[in-house]
Amino acid sequence: MPENWYKSRGYLHFDRPINQAAARKIVSDPKAVAQHAFYPFIRYVVQTQKVFFDKSIGTVVKKPPKKRPISYAAHVDSHIYSYYCERLNQAYEDHLATARWSSAVLAFRALGKSNIEYARDAFLDIAERESCCVIAIDIKGFFDNLDHAHLKNSWQALLSTQQLPDDHYAVYRSLTRYSFVCRDQAYESLGLSKNNPKQGRKRICEPHEFRAKVRDGGLIETNKDKKGIPQGSPISALLSNVYMMGFDEEIHTYVQTCGGAYYRYCDDVLLVVPLKEETDAKAFIECRVDAIGLEIQATKTEICKFTRSAKGLRTNRPLQYLGFVFDGANIYLRSSSLARYQDRVNRGIWLAEKCMKKVNAKRVARGQLPRSMFLKKLYKQYSYLGRRNFISYGYRAAKIMESSSIKKQLKPQWNKLRERIADAQNE
């Protein structure tokens, strides 16, 4: 019978991959876990290009890219994290089974729903009210700012213990006093190619090389702050929910007493309260976020007031939530999502055009006729003909949300794509 915590990982790290039997022997022995020496994480930075459509100039504008550090653990370490994640998740779900606020926690749970359904449910809740105030907040640098003492207390509360068992404490300490090595620096120091580091290797380096070139070479950095856990480990997502247990209960209790609703998707928090509760609710959420050592990203806070009239439900400003926009009557895809899609289309066609010209230069040199652009891949990536792309996601959202407005947003994209391809072929 397969064990959900075990996953074979093919990436290179400071240790070798191990089979399921060997992993089980380690993870199921609390004493072995308590004494385990965790390797440093390997870290790299993911850059996300932010774009938006500027109506004043009628074009897509790029923002400075957002940088997000991702850390991945050694093979044995990953199995330990996955095993303890499974155990803690069971305890967490058992706890939620008796908690009145269970339905408020949306992210990192096996609920059989996507952000499409979560956004739809929130919008339907708002639409059924005569009036309400919606407060949407985003927590700044969520994983990087989780307070270690609060995390430990929450972990202990979940286990119903006054002190973490030695094995749990070892896992906790490895994630709070974690160390990491920048991937590019490690590859350079060890003479590995950044593009093809494997070359038959099973691990990045042998133990003596690790000691001499990585540890003694000063490549290891340690988190000395009293906050932050690495984003990317198999247990980090679950721990973010464990961290927020007390917060979730307090916010849910508050909104219930005033006839509102509460939804949290990781660090995206949504409160739906009566209009008269706006000031108190905003002050309460700010106070509770501060109490758990976190900070609200003020520039992303949205306060939307929905009121009903003879013309239906209207709002002073559309609500943006989980990639969608709700104005009281219609649901849309965010304009920035469409702009980002269009930017990807332009880059994809540009690459296809370069590839076409390179291939045709060789064909002409051989006395062959030039060929047209490779279209199958472009249509698969950027149109409704593909099964897993932005357009197919949008149409799925339109169906689930019964939104004709999303369909209207998507309909012109097919002609735009074909026109852009035609322009590239004629250049």
Side-chain angles (χ1 to χ4, degrees), residues 187-208:
Y187 283 3
E188 183 178 352
S189 176
L190 295 164
L192 302 183
S193 166
K194 293 179 182 179
N195 299 318
N196 185 26
K198 281 196 172 182
Q199 298 181 346
R201 291 172 176 262
K202 296 293 184 181
R203 65 198 301 173
I204 287 179
C205 61
E206 295 301 320
H208 70 276

Side-chain angles (χ1 to χ4, degrees), residues 160-337:
S160 300
T161 180
Q162 296 296 314
Q163 184 175 340
L164 288 179
D166 291 344
D167 54 329
H168 283 262
Y169 181 77
V171 176
Y172 159 80
R173 183 172 174 79
S174 73
L175 291 162
T176 51
R177 290 283 295 177
Y178 67 92
S179 58
F180 65 92
V181 173
C182 291
R183 184 180 62 184
D184 291 350
Q185 291 182 357
Y187 283 3
E188 183 178 352
S189 176
L190 295 164
L192 302 183
S193 166
K194 293 179 182 179
N195 299 318
N196 185 26
K198 281 196 172 182
Q199 298 181 346
R201 291 172 176 262
K202 296 293 184 181
R203 65 198 301 173
I204 287 179
C205 61
E206 295 301 320
H208 70 276
E209 293 177 294
F210 174 81
R211 292 190 292 269
K213 295 184 178 181
V214 179
R215 187 189 65 189
D216 296 343
L219 300 185
I220 300 176
E221 298 181 51
T222 302
N223 179 39
K224 296 180 180 178
D225 293 334
K226 294 182 179 180
K227 62 181 181 178
I229 63 174
Q231 188 171 350
S233 85
I235 198 174
S236 295
L238 172 65
L239 290 181
S240 70
N241 276 345
V242 172
Y243 187 93
M244 301 293 281
M245 286 193 306
F247 175 89
D248 290 333
E249 183 174 11
E250 289 179 335
I251 302 301
H252 181 266
T253 300
Y254 171 80
V255 298
Q256 286 293 298
T257 58
C258 65
Y262 165 57
Y263 305 91
R264 181 178 65 81
Y265 192 96
C266 192
D267 56 351
D268 285 326
V269 178
L270 196 73
L271 274 71
V272 182
V273 297
L275 290 173
K276 63 180 182 179
E277 296 289 334
E278 176 190 344
T279 303
D280 289 345
K282 188 171 182 293
F284 185 79
I285 191 74
E286 289 174 351
C287 177
R288 299 326 301 158
V289 169
D290 182 68
I292 59 173
L294 297 175
E295 181 183 349
I296 292 174
Q297 196 159 323
T299 56
K300 291 190 176 182
T301 296
E302 292 186 11
I303 299 179
C304 309
K305 299 176 183 179
F306 289 84
T307 54
R308 192 175 299 278
S309 66
K311 295 182 179 180
L313 192 66
R314 294 291 183 266
T315 180
N316 62 324
R317 60 179 295 178
L319 170 66
Q320 297 192 49
Y321 185 57
L322 300 182
F324 299 94
V325 178
F326 180 55
D327 66 2
N330 299 295
I331 301 173
Y332 301 91
L333 295 167
R334 290 176 61 183
S335 59
S336 60
S337 298

